[in-house]
Amino acid sequence: MKSIVNSSVLCCQVFSEYFKELEEESIRDNFVIVYELLDELMDFGFPQTTDSKILQEPCSVFQVNANGSVLLSEIVGSIKLKVFLSGMPELRLGLNDRVLFELTGRGKNKSVELEDVKFHQCVRLSRFDNDRTISFIPPDGDFELMSYRLNTQVKPLIWIESVIEKFSHSRVEIMVKAKGQFKKQSVANGVEICVPVPSDADSPKFKTSIGNAKYLPEKDVVIWSIKSFPGGKEYLMRAHFGLPSVENEELEGRPPISVRFEIPYFTVSGIQVRYMKIIEKSGYQALPWVRYITQSGDYQLRTH
């Protein structure tokens, strides 16, 4: 009895150093860190390492996984047009191009430095090279006017924390927390969080705070689907599987969690359409309409 009490006191002391105030809310908000600390602290139910300085050493598994550092990120974007204009009028597109703003003395405004830009063949490249004007005579219908790439460190829009634990090769428990790290006014639609599970898992049981989870045994994954995910919100998914056979630990590590989503009326690159002008002597009238959208692309997060 005394040993159990001492263990509880030691755990509480460590948690207090990490969370400042040890209470139900702080444990719930930091459940991933709690599980990692318990894994470091305990061995067969008995406390081992309780020194917080040792726990926070860079070589510690907890410190490596808890950093949440982004290994690789880039923005790949495009501007697509759907044109319904009679005749062959010239169009001019104005963006918040940093080089253009500096040339015109407006460098203090919000601008973006375009990188690796590729234009449709209708764009007058010589004009762009001279004064950064995007001038073109568009074809009819849908086409991609330009594409660009920004090598920018971007905060993940939907951040995933996960704990995947196996118990004596008899069962596996998975906990996933998803947080929307974009502005509260925006909503991510069609969110799908794909969580890998062992190939011999069976008897799935799920509990989600939003949306629904589905096991796809042919792909060895759980798909957590969320129809609408508002910015700033956090949601949880818990899954329980049986493991009927004894298998060797994966030598190459666990596959990453992948995420799919779409955020309408939102641009992560910061590129803005300032104007779309029609150059026509006859006073051609038209109503340009602009829509921004951000899609997930190749979006992966490591598990531990």
Side-chain angles (χ1 to χ4, degrees):
M1 182 70 178
K2 184 177 180 181
S3 176
I4 296 175
V5 173
N6 289 338
S7 299
S8 300
V9 172
L10 290 171
C11 288
C12 290
Q13 290 176 349
V14 173
F15 293 155
S16 297
E17 292 186 33
Y18 278 86
F19 310 141
K20 295 182 180 179
E21 296 182 3
L22 185 60
E23 53 190 19
E24 182 181 350
E25 184 176 356
S26 63
I27 292 176
R28 186 169 56 248
D29 291 341
N30 298 277
F31 77 92
V32 173
I33 297 178
V34 170
Y35 271 81
E36 291 292 344
L37 281 172
L38 288 174
D39 186 54
E40 292 287 325
L41 287 167
M42 299 293 184
D43 190 9
F44 296 103
F46 295 96
Q48 299 295 322
T49 303
T50 58
D51 189 337
S52 61
K53 292 182 180 179
I54 296 177
L55 289 170
Q56 295 178 31
E57 285 293 320
C59 61
S60 170
V61 175
F62 162 72
Q63 179 70 15
V64 172
N65 290 324
N67 277 340
S69 58
V70 178
L71 299 180
L72 175 63
S73 70
E74 63 180 7
I75 299 172
V76 179
S78 64
I79 296 180
K80 299 180 180 180
L81 300 185
K82 179 179 288 187
V83 180
F84 301 101
L85 298 175
S86 59
M88 298 181 63
E90 177 188 352
L91 302 186
R92 290 180 186 172
L93 175 67
L95 304 175
N96 57 334
D97 178 11
R98 182 171 299 172
V99 176
L100 174 62
F101 277 29
E102 291 175 352
L103 289 174
T104 56
R106 291 177 290 179
K108 294 183 179 179
N109 294 333
K110 291 184 179 180
S111 58
V112 175
E113 185 173 354
L114 300 175
E115 302 173 16
D116 194 18
V117 181
K118 297 179 181 178
F119 287 112
H120 187 272
Q121 59 187 11
C122 69
V123 176
R124 297 171 178 170
L125 298 180
S126 58
R127 183 76 184 271
F128 180 78
D129 292 338
N130 289 334
D131 58 12
R132 307 291 288 190
T133 298
I134 303 176
S135 175
F136 58 98
I137 298 177
D140 292 333
D142 299 333
F143 72 100
E144 183 175 282
L145 178 69
M146 60 178 285
S147 63
Y148 58 89
R149 184 188 305 270
L150 302 178
N151 293 315
T152 306
Q153 283 289 83
V154 181
K155 180 173 65 174
L157 299 180
I158 295 182
W159 179 247
I160 303 294
E161 296 180 39
S162 66
V163 171
I164 304 176
E165 288 191 308
K166 292 184 179 180
F167 295 89
S168 302
H169 297 288
S170 62
R171 72 184 194 276
V172 60
E173 292 184 359
I174 302 171
M175 287 183 291
V176 177
K177 179 170 75 171
K179 180 178 180 180
Q181 299 191 131
F182 48 93
K183 60 184 181 180
K184 295 181 180 179
Q185 298 90 334
S186 297
V187 176
N189 296 328
V191 178
E192 288 189 351
I193 300 170
C194 182
V195 184
V197 298
S199 59
D200 59 344
D202 63 9
S203 307
K205 296 179 182 179
F206 305 109
K207 185 177 181 180
T208 62
S209 59
I210 192 176
N212 59 80
K214 182 178 180 181
Y215 175 43
L216 302 181
E218 69 276 9
K219 295 183 178 180
D220 298 326
V221 297
V222 170
I223 302 294
W224 180 16
S225 301
I226 304 173
K227 186 176 180 180
S228 297
F229 197 132
K233 295 291 186 178
E234 292 185 4
Y235 300 112
L236 292 175
M237 186 273 287
R238 289 182 171 89
H240 179 280
F241 289 90
L243 291 177
S245 63
V246 178
E247 62 173 16
N248 295 324
E249 290 295 325
E250 300 90 341
L251 298 177
E252 67 277 5
R254 296 188 178 99
I257 293 176
S258 60
V259 186
R260 292 178 57 189
F261 59 86
E262 185 174 280
I263 307 178
Y265 315 110
F266 182 82
T267 169
V268 69
S269 67
I271 288 181
Q272 297 177 354
V273 176
R274 294 170 49 239
Y275 63 81
M276 174 70 81
K277 294 181 180 179
I278 299 179
I279 311 302
E280 179 71 32
K281 293 181 180 179
S282 62
Y284 197 106
Q285 295 295 319
L287 296 174
W289 178 68
V290 179
R291 182 181 68 160
Y292 299 100
I293 189 168
T294 293
Q295 296 176 323
S296 53
D298 184 12
Y299 197 103
Q300 296 184 346
L301 300 103
R302 290 184 174 180
T303 61
H304 53 270

